[in-house]
Amino acid sequence: KAGVTQTPRYLIKTRGQQVTLSCSPISGHRSVSWYQQTPGQGLQFLFEYFSETQRNKGNFPGRFSGRQFSNSRSEMNVSTLELGDSALYLCASSLRLDSYEQYFGPGTRLTVT
Amino acid sequence: GQSLEQPSEVTAVEGAIVQINCTYQTSGFYGLSWYQQHDGGAPTFLSYNGLDGLEETGRFSSFLSRSDSYGYLLLQELQMKDSASYFCAVRGDSNYQLIWGAGTKLIIKP
């Protein structure tokens, strides 16, 4: 079974631009979560989607948004990029909303200059 | 607020045993999970505790005490490849939102 895939793997953007990151979960997994990780930091929860609905949202500004499609694939969008948005963005999928085991993708490393 | 606390760094010797603690403060509790992340890699699931007690998976064990809001990950017969960051995570409310600790960097010396 293929793992979680994320595209692109690396991205360089300029302040003020917007970016869209994509995540394809493991086949059959309906829950997708997004995290931001900066060097030396833990995982900061962004949001979680299940059955195309946002179920949980972390403490991030409205510039961060996401969506989930009917095939469970998910995208997250960051508008008006700031230097502080430079981070590794991780996507994780799980079978159900209450699953205790999440499977992570390799992440997208975003650099904002 | 909801939070998890774990040591930022732990150092141990190859072949030894090390324990990484995690205390949590959440509005509810629906289980404690542990993840391992090597530098440059993605987190991978290690273990889960839903009830009090010890869960063993090979060289790794995880313990939970719900009355103390406390858990730990025990790594035995440490190998250099165990050098990584270890995160505890709790599902702490009825929305099942996963709350993460800041991670513990495990440094193993030969």
Side-chain angles (χ1 to χ4, degrees), chain A residues 6 17 25 32 45 51 70 82-83:
Chain A
Q6 292 186 246
Q17 288 185 314
V32 173
F45 173 75
S51 293
S70 58
E82 300 176 359
L83 293 179

Side-chain angles (χ1 to χ4, degrees), chain B residues 5-41:
Chain B
E5 287 195 15
Q6 50 181 130
S8 59
E9 190 175 289
V10 171
T11 301
V13 177
E14 192 176 14
I17 299 172
V18 72
Q19 179 174 311
I20 299 173
N21 299 320
C22 173
T23 57
Y24 58 89
Q25 196 168 19
T26 55
S27 56
F29 180 80
Y30 297 89
L32 172 68
S33 301
W34 289 92
Y35 287 78
Q36 177 192 61
Q37 185 180 30
H38 287 100
D39 282 348

Side-chain angles (χ1 to χ4, degrees), chain A residues 44-58:
Chain A
Q44 304 298 313
F45 173 75
L46 282 155
F47 23 67
E48 181 173 20
Y49 286 88
F50 182 80
S51 293
E52 302 177 66
T53 302
Q54 187 181 89
R55 302 293 178 148
N56 289 298
K57 189 177 191 305

Side-chain angles (χ1 to χ4, degrees), chain B residues 24-25 55 58 96 98:
Chain B
Y24 58 89
Q25 196 168 19
E55 294 287 338
Y96 301 110
L98 203 57

Side-chain angles (χ1 to χ4, degrees), chain A residues 35 37 45 56 99-100 102 105, chain B residues 33 35 37 42 91 95 100:
Chain A
Y35 298 90
Q37 187 174 36
F45 173 75
N56 289 298
S99 295
Y100 56 78
Q102 292 190 332
Chain B
S33 301
Y35 287 78
Q37 185 180 30
R91 286 207 183 271
N95 285 330
W100 293 75

